[in-house]
Amino acid sequence: SLVGSEMCKETGVGAVNLLFTIVSVYFVDRLGRRKLYFTGLTGITVSLILLGICFAFSASLGDAGKWLSVLLVFFYVAFFAISIGPLGWLIISEVFPQKLRGLGSSIGSLSVWFFNSIVSFTFFKIVHAFTISGTEIYAEGENLGNPAGAFWFYAVVALAALIWGYFYVPETKGVSLEKIEEYWRKGGKPRFLNREKMPGILESYQYSGDNKTIMVKYHNYQLKWWKEGITLLRTFTFVI
């Protein structure tokens, strides 16, 4: 029956969410936060694009399109559950300094539910706003629009999240809270946290006009540049 079919789908979504959340818990300290983040967001982006295609060509795909859409929803939930689902809660508990951790985590939690509410309240408006003419779906004579455009819109948001994450999601695997806080205090950039050869924090630099040499001193290494003609050469001298 229709009710039984809907219950199976909802149960399936919940089961996939639970299963891949457990997978995320297992891999988060083995693969790291950034790898799970980029894997999940890439899968989410692809799933949303394909979902949009399924709905845009639903008339041609028929029943196969419906089941393919359900399968893609499962894929979306799986990639969400291994990445931004649990990682959002984990990272906001790690990146703030001790004095601000409670306040920062609270603001982070509030932001999650605030944007969840925005998505819930605006979804159908976005569906109608981005419905492609001629692809409308009707139920009992009512125009429900077509969610293809909405899914593509969310795919663009997911793509933007990938770009944003490259610069601002830190890798906190194996790094103590004290070291994370110390790194922020020294002006470190999020994407270089926990890298084996991450750029140091600028302490001083000297310029010698005689031999046209610039020495830049960082807290974990020194860089030396010298320029001859149009060729710029660099040497790295690592210091402990």
Side-chain angles (χ1 to χ4, degrees):
S1 65
L2 180 60
V3 175
S5 177
E6 292 300 320
M7 289 184 63
C8 287
K9 293 175 185 177
E10 292 179 9
T11 303
V13 168
V16 170
N17 194 4
L18 174 62
L19 175 62
F20 281 89
T21 299
I22 296 173
V23 171
S24 178
V25 171
Y26 178 80
F27 282 110
V28 70
D29 281 324
R30 291 171 172 81
L31 298 178
R33 282 68 162 157
R34 283 176 67 89
K35 287 183 179 179
L36 287 180
Y37 179 89
F38 292 122
T39 300
L41 261 296
T42 301
I44 285 172
T45 303
V46 173
S47 298
L48 288 170
I49 292 173
L50 294 178
L51 265 172
I53 293 174
C54 282
F55 277 95
F57 297 96
S58 58
S60 303
L61 294 173
D63 290 338
K66 296 177 182 178
W67 288 107
L68 183 58
S69 299
V70 173
L71 184 63
L72 288 170
V73 168
F74 287 165
F75 276 117
Y76 170 87
V77 172
F79 283 113
F80 173 86
I82 65 169
S83 58
I84 57 176
L87 287 181
W89 302 105
L90 175 62
I91 292 176
I92 63 174
S93 69
E94 296 176 325
V95 296
F96 294 106
Q98 184 176 359
K99 291 183 178 180
L100 300 174
R101 191 164 297 136
L103 177 61
S105 298
S106 299
I107 294 175
S109 300
L110 177 63
S111 299
V112 169
W113 293 113
F114 174 73
F115 287 107
N116 281 345
S117 300
I118 289 180
V119 172
S120 299
F121 286 120
T122 61
F123 176 73
F124 289 107
K125 292 181 176 61
I126 292 175
V127 167
H128 284 284
F130 288 96
T131 294
I132 302 172
S133 179
T135 64
E136 294 86 351
I137 298 174
Y138 291 88
E140 298 180 356
E142 181 182 359
N143 182 5
L144 302 178
N146 190 309
F151 288 134
W152 290 332
F153 170 75
Y154 292 133
V156 172
V157 174
L159 182 61
L162 273 171
I163 299 172
W164 177 88
Y166 174 78
F167 294 100
Y168 296 108
V169 173
E171 180 52 78
T172 55
K173 181 188 74 170
V175 184
S176 67
L177 298 178
E178 292 76 15
K179 288 184 178 181
I180 294 173
E181 183 173 348
E182 179 185 0
Y183 183 76
W184 299 145
R185 291 185 183 278
K186 290 180 178 179
K189 294 183 179 181
R191 68 190 178 102
F192 294 126
L193 178 61
N194 200 20
R195 286 197 179 181
E196 188 174 345
K197 295 182 179 179
M198 59 187 175
I201 309 305
L202 179 64
E203 293 179 355
S204 64
Y205 71 92
Q206 296 177 345
Y207 173 71
S208 174
D210 297 334
N211 55 10
K212 297 181 180 179
T213 300
I214 301 175
M215 177 66 74
V216 183
K217 184 180 180 182
Y218 287 75
H219 81 277
N220 64 338
Y221 65 78
Q222 294 179 351
L223 304 180
K224 185 177 181 181
W225 285 282
W226 68 92
K227 189 173 183 180
E228 296 179 357
I230 60 173
T231 304
L232 181 64
L233 305 175
R234 294 190 297 175
T235 62
F236 295 80
T237 304
F238 288 86
V239 296
I240 300 176

